[in-house]
């Protein structure tokens, strides 16, 4: 596949990928579709009970290809500036362009546009053939034809099986513009344009309102403009620019684009948001891409990059978890424990929908992963409302109660143990004291105590007691953390596990131990394991000041990028989940938290490898402020924005930079750049001496 693009935001090729799984997905947080595919998906619309639950296949009327006679040149491009995929065909007399987009502002709309422009003086008509693979049927939804609406065809139906017995079965309503078999530019015309709408909703009223809005915007010429403006606003607050490596720059842009596509519009983070699955909304049918379920991938791997820029979208992730509390309570009770047990695989109800029971029973670190996302949100935003009227405290305290009921006390070593678990490294199961699981459990118990203090809520003494005495496996002789009790050093591991103790879990350890952990597990990590692993190794080596080693490991991730449109596969050989957002999230964390040294209380310790001369990150959000950062080899520049350019609204507080080596304190004045030599430090409130909030 020849990459003929130049703008790093535009991925262009003169051919499509041989494997159609790597065609670019278009999504907007509610709708997801892989271009040209006959199937699409809608957020929170699943079919099947329990372990059979999967994203319901929805037929896509936009599954249309374009053809012309005697083509001279063809090209395909994904413009990530605007979220538009384009196919262009040129002949001797005309150029035809077909464009697709999932509307970024009106999330119930998808659009196809076709234009023909005459290139030569001729009186011949120009014909473009449209070939559709659409059929108005689904194996998951019992669709019935309904009367046309304002010239649009319509089908409506319900999924065939509820997620839980007696539960609701979602309704899906489609209205779309009828597409002719061909479009003709008449002899007297020099150019012409056609637009085709698709509206989807859960109710007649919402679908009709969206279709009406689309028709109105199309008539006024504002349909694409409103979509592109929404993408412009998003990029304004999450721009990452790298100087020195075009490959790395395009990879970062692609990761951000696909990750942002999985989230709802900033102006409407309503209850329709159904979380983020490893393959995004465009994938996840029965037997495919983890059935579209939500895993720890969302909270640990994808969430951090979003939370750094968009508190509102970060909160949407947490509110999704809040809506599943009743299911989590049921899961805990079925296991015989108290509190909440979040499902290893989640859909809408919060009840376990993993097809294989062992994962739901044993991979209990998911509880700590969910809690950690809430904790990081509080440190970045100081938004206590999520934990009061937003029911976030119910999540944190329910998780703490689960750990207290799940641990086993050992009188001999005076420690609490978690027995019979599966760690993130899924090569092992039924083991005791997974170092990752125990550490994230300890952290979530500590946060429960901290939150209770903030909210003046009485905390059970057991929370602190279990946290203080939780067994954290450590080999005193080898000076490293065994993955679990009984792990033999040198045994193979599937993916990042114990190396996550330093980041993102923040377990305190000496540089010697951190190095030993990285070296011990790097040598035995499966090279064909899931894509997010190498980003975590890169963060670890950057912490130790070894930028070149970090970069070498991070660049292993390039093997997971398939084809010209920067679509990731789960494994480097192209197998596994596609549009693998989990891998993209791990990769982005190496850039956003590795190169910068950012941590959630906004500590920083910047370090760039030799191949990069500059890193610019625009839109970092902290305590209600927006900041732009520029990192070079020897200096750092921070600009506090005069006013937010985002639709995010939050009460900002005055900030200062505190440099670790010199102790220098520099007030951040809106609009005034602050430049200082590259060294570690932190951002804190003007009236504080430490970096974290709450104090």
């Amino acid at each position: 596949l020849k990459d003929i693009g130049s703008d790093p935001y535009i991925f262009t090729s003169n051919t499509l990928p041989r494997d159609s799984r790597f065609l670019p997905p278009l999504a907007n947080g509610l709708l997801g579709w892989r271009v040209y595919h006959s199937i699409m998906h809608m957020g929170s619309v699943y079919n099947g009970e329990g372990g059979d639950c999967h994203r319901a296949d929805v037929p896509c009327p936009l599954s249309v290809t374009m053809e012309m006679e005697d083509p001279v040149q063809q090209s395909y491009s994904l413009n990530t500036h605007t979220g538009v995929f384009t196919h262009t065909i040129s002949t001797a007399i005309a150029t035809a362009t077909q464009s697709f987009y999932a509307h970024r502002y009106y999330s119930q709309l998808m659009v196809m546009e076709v234009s023909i422009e005459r290139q030569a003086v001729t009186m011949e008509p120009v014909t473009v053939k449209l070939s559709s693979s659409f059929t108005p049927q689904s194996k998951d939804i019992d669709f019935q034809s309904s009367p046309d609406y304002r010239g649009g065809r319509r089908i409506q139906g319900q999924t065939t099986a509820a997620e839980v017995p007696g539960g609701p079965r979602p309704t899906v309503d489609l209205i779309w513009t009828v597409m002719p078999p061909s479009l003709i530019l008449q002899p007297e015309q020099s150019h012409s344009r056609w637009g085709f709408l698709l509206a989807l909703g859960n109710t007649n009223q919402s679908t009709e309102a969206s279709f009406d809005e689309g028709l109105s915007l199309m008539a006024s010429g504002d349909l694409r403009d409103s979509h592109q403006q929404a993408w412009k606003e998003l990029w304004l607050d999450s721009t990452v620019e790298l100087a020195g490596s075009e490959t790395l720059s395009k990879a970062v842009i692609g990761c951000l684009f696909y990750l942002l596509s999985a989230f709802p519009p900033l102006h409407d983070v309503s209850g329709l948001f159904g979380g983020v699955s490893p393959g995004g909304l465009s994938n996840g049918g029965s037997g495919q891409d983890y059935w579209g379920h939500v895993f720890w991938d969302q909270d640990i791997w994808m969430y951090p990059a979003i939370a750094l820029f968009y508190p509102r979208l970060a909160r949407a992730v947490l509110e999704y978890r809040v809506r599943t509390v009743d299911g989590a309570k049921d899961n805990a009770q079925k296991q015989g424990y108290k509190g909440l047990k979040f499902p290893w695989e989640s859909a809408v109800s919060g009840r376990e929908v993993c097809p294989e029971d062992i994962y739901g029973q044993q991979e209990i670190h998911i509880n700590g992963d969910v809690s950690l996302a809430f904790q990081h949100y509080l440190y970045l935003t100081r938004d206590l409302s999520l934990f009061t009227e937003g029911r976030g405290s119910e999540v944190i305290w329910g998780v703490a109660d689960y750990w207290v009921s799940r641990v086993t006390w050992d009188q001999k070593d005076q420690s609490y143990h978690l027995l019979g678990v599966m760690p993130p490294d899924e090569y092992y199961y039924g083991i005791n004291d997974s170092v990752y699981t125990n550490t994230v459990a300890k952290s979530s118990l500590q946060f429960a105590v901290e939150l209770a203090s903030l909210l003046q809520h009485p905390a059970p003494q057991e929370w602190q007691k279990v946290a203080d005495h939780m067994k954290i496996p450590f080999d005193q002789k080898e000076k490293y953390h065994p993955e679990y009790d009984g792990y033999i050093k040198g045994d193979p591991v599937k993916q990042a596990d114990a190396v996550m103790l330093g980041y993102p879990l923040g377990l305190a350890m000496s540089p010697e131990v951190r190095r030993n952990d990285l070296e011990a597990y790097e040598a035995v990590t499966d090279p064909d394991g899931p894509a997010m692993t190498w980003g975590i190794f890169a963060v670890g080596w950057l912490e130790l000041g070894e930028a070149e080693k970090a970069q070498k490991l991070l660049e292993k991730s390039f093997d997971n990028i398939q084809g010209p449109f920067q679509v990731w596969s789960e494994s480097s050989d192209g197998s596994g989940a596609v549009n693998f957002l989990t891998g993209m999230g791990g990769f982005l964390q190496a850039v956003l938290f590795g190169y910068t040294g950012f941590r959630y209380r906004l500590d920083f310790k910047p370090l760039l490898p030799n191949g990069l001369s500059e890193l610019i990150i625009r839109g970092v959000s902290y305590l209600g402020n927006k900041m732009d950062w520029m990192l070079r080899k020897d200096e750092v520049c921070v600009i506090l924005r005069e006013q937010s350019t985002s639709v995010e609204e939050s009460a900002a507080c005055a900030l200062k930079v505190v440099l670790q080596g010199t102790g220098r304190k520099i007030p951040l004045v809106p609009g005034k750049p602050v430049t200082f030599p590259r060294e570690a430090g932190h951002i804190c409130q003007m009236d504080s001496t430490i970096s974290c909030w709450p104090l």
Side-chain angles (χ1 to χ4, degrees):
L1 294 172
K2 182 181 178 183
D3 186 343
I4 57 176
S6 54
D7 183 335
Y9 280 83
I10 301 177
F11 309 148
T12 304
S13 176
N14 51 23
T15 58
L16 291 174
R18 293 187 183 92
D19 188 337
S20 63
R21 296 182 308 140
F22 302 122
L23 287 168
L26 299 176
N28 59 17
L30 178 65
L31 308 177
W33 176 58
R34 192 167 68 243
V35 297
Y36 301 129
H37 195 39
S38 61
I39 295 299
M40 61 183 297
H41 298 106
M42 186 174 182
S44 299
V45 178
Y46 292 87
N47 187 47
E49 181 182 326
D52 293 326
C53 172
H54 57 273
R55 286 203 191 281
D57 285 353
V58 179
C60 183
L62 303 186
S63 56
V64 174
T65 57
M66 176 182 74
E67 298 176 8
M68 295 179 75
E69 290 186 0
D70 303 320
V72 175
Q73 185 177 357
Q74 296 195 60
S75 66
Y76 304 87
S77 69
L78 175 65
N79 187 330
T80 63
H81 285 295
T82 61
V84 177
F85 177 81
T86 301
H87 175 206
T88 301
I89 304 177
S90 296
T91 69
I93 62 172
T95 296
T97 302
Q98 178 188 33
S99 300
F100 297 106
Y101 52 95
H103 205 288
R104 200 67 190 86
Y105 192 89
Y106 299 101
S107 57
Q108 289 182 236
L109 291 178
M110 296 194 75
V111 184
M112 183 182 87
E113 297 171 345
V114 179
S115 65
I116 308 175
E117 185 170 355
R118 199 178 296 277
Q119 301 296 331
V121 178
T122 174
M123 294 304 291
E124 298 178 30
V126 179
T127 300
V128 170
K129 295 180 180 179
L130 301 180
S131 299
S132 174
S133 61
F134 168 69
T135 57
Q137 298 172 345
S138 167
K139 62 182 177 60
D140 294 313
I141 302 170
D142 183 16
F143 278 115
Q144 303 294 325
S145 296
S146 295
D148 289 358
Y149 179 79
R150 296 191 64 182
R153 296 288 165 78
R154 187 174 201 167
I155 56 174
Q156 298 171 304
Q158 267 189 312
T159 57
T160 60
E163 179 185 336
V164 296
R169 292 185 293 121
T171 297
V172 179
D173 183 21
L174 280 76
I175 306 174
W176 69 94
T177 311
V178 178
M179 297 185 194
S182 62
L183 301 171
I184 301 175
L185 183 69
Q186 300 297 337
E188 68 275 11
Q189 294 178 302
S190 61
H191 63 274
S192 191
R193 179 185 295 270
W194 297 262
F196 303 91
L197 279 178
L198 168 61
L200 285 86
N202 295 119
T203 66
N204 292 359
Q205 184 178 9
S206 68
T207 309
E208 291 172 4
S210 295
F211 194 72
D212 291 344
E213 187 69 46
L215 291 176
S216 176
L217 290 167
M218 188 178 288
S220 65
D222 295 325
L223 184 61
R224 187 188 286 214
D225 287 347
S226 58
H227 162 76
Q228 293 183 165
Q229 181 61 31
W231 266 111
K232 182 179 179 180
E233 291 176 1
L234 270 176
W235 282 122
L236 209 58
D237 280 343
S238 61
T239 303
V240 181
E241 298 175 358
L242 294 135
S245 172
E246 182 180 355
T247 302
L248 181 61
S249 182
K250 290 184 73 171
V252 168
I253 291 167
C255 289
L256 275 171
F257 172 76
Y258 289 125
L259 198 56
L260 285 170
S261 297
F263 284 82
L266 287 170
H267 73 281
D268 183 21
V269 287
S270 66
L272 290 175
F273 178 59
V276 187
S277 58
L281 275 166
S282 58
N283 301 303
S286 180
Q288 176 215 35
D289 299 310
Y290 297 108
W291 289 261
H293 296 162
V294 178
F295 292 71
W296 76 314
D297 305 48
Q298 170 189 259
D299 311 86
I300 290 294
W301 298 102
M302 308 172 201
Y303 172 87
I306 294 298
L308 189 64
F309 297 112
Y310 300 107
R312 187 172 295 183
L313 297 183
R315 180 163 175 154
V317 169
L318 307 182
E319 289 173 340
Y320 163 75
R321 290 298 189 185
V322 168
R323 288 193 295 274
T324 66
V325 158
D326 289 343
K329 187 177 298 183
D330 184 66
N331 296 335
Q333 290 173 353
K334 286 179 177 177
Q335 289 188 357
Y337 302 113
K338 298 179 180 178
L340 305 177
K341 164 59 176 68
F342 285 94
W344 178 240
E345 299 190 27
S346 179
V348 175
S349 72
R351 287 163 177 80
E352 185 62 66
V353 292
C354 182
E356 298 180 65
D357 186 61
I358 189 173
Y359 296 97
Q361 290 291 330
Q362 294 193 13
E363 207 147 357
I364 61 175
H365 64 81
I366 179 66
N367 261 15
D369 304 327
V370 170
S371 178
L372 190 65
F374 279 81
Q375 181 180 355
H376 288 163
Y377 176 80
L378 180 61
Y379 291 166
L380 278 172
T381 67
R382 69 175 183 179
D383 176 15
L384 282 172
S385 70
L386 174 67
F387 298 89
T388 51
E389 58 262 34
R391 295 179 65 196
S393 59
E394 188 176 341
V395 170
I396 303 307
W397 298 336
V399 167
D401 287 340
Y402 177 84
W403 293 129
V404 169
S405 67
R406 180 64 171 77
V407 293
T408 299
W409 173 253
D410 189 322
Q411 190 68 30
K412 292 180 180 179
D413 64 6
Q414 294 288 294
S415 297
Y416 287 101
H417 302 262
L418 287 168
L419 309 179
V421 306
M422 181 184 291
D425 173 12
E426 293 169 329
Y427 284 171
Y428 305 97
Y429 55 90
I431 57 91
N432 299 332
D433 291 328
S434 151
V435 70
Y436 178 93
T437 304
N438 288 24
T439 301
V440 81
K442 178 184 179 80
S443 175
S444 54
L445 284 161
Q446 291 171 329
F447 179 57
V449 173
E450 179 184 359
L451 182 64
S453 176
L454 279 170
L455 300 182
Q456 298 182 333
H457 176 84
Q461 293 182 355
E462 290 83 1
W463 292 355
Q464 188 67 58
K465 180 181 178 183
V466 173
D468 289 344
H469 296 278
M470 182 71 75
K471 174 67 178 293
I472 306 298
F474 183 72
D475 188 318
Q476 292 288 352
K477 181 180 178 181
E478 298 285 343
K479 300 292 184 184
Y480 91 112
H481 292 95
E483 190 174 271
Y484 54 86
D485 184 24
Y487 174 80
I488 299 172
K489 192 174 183 182
D491 280 354
V493 301
K494 176 185 177 182
Q495 63 186 62
D497 186 311
V499 295
M500 299 175 72
L501 301 182
Y503 174 88
L505 299 191
L507 181 68
M509 67 184 79
S510 68
E512 176 191 11
V513 172
R514 185 73 161 124
R515 177 181 297 274
N516 291 345
D517 283 352
L518 292 167
E519 289 179 343
Y521 293 107
E522 180 186 331
V524 296
T525 296
D526 188 340
D528 296 320
M532 64 279 194
T533 289
W534 302 115
I536 292 297
F537 276 99
V539 172
W541 286 113
L542 285 162
E543 283 182 349
L544 296 174
E546 298 204 23
E548 305 316 310
K549 188 170 183 60
Q551 194 66 9
K552 183 178 179 181
L553 290 171
L554 182 61
E555 289 177 358
K556 286 188 175 186
S557 301
F558 294 159
D559 293 338
N560 295 80
I561 301 175
Q562 309 294 335
F565 303 115
Q566 300 290 312
V567 176
W568 283 54
S569 60
E570 183 174 9
S571 299
S572 58
D573 62 1
S575 63
V578 294
N579 188 37
F580 191 50
L581 298 177
T582 311
M584 299 185 204
F587 181 83
L588 284 174
Q589 288 187 58
V591 174
L592 297 174
F593 297 91
Y595 292 155
T596 64
F598 285 160
R599 296 297 180 265
Y600 284 96
R601 302 178 188 223
L602 222 60
D603 299 310
F604 57 86
K605 186 181 179 183
L607 181 64
L608 296 179
N610 289 332
L612 297 180
S613 58
E614 186 177 80
L615 169 63
I616 298 174
I617 302 177
R618 294 190 174 94
V620 173
S621 182
Y622 185 57
L623 303 186
N625 294 275
K626 281 286 188 179
M627 291 176 281
D628 300 333
W629 289 71
M630 181 170 63
L631 280 59
R632 296 194 179 101
K633 286 293 186 182
D634 299 316
E635 68 177 13
V636 177
C637 179
V638 183
I639 301 176
L640 186 66
R641 292 187 179 178
E642 292 189 6
Q643 58 183 14
S644 175
T645 52
S646 162
V647 299
E648 304 260 2
E649 294 179 3
S650 180
C653 63
L655 300 177
K656 64 184 175 184
V657 177
V658 179
L659 300 180
Q660 183 175 302
T662 62
R664 183 183 173 198
K665 301 173 184 177
I666 313 169
L668 287 174
V669 179
K672 183 179 179 181
V674 171
T675 303
F676 48 88
R678 181 181 64 83
E679 63 173 289
H682 59 257
I683 303 291
C684 67
Q685 298 178 60
M686 283 294 293
D687 58 353
S688 172
T689 58
I690 58 175
S691 59
C692 65
W693 189 94
L695 302 181

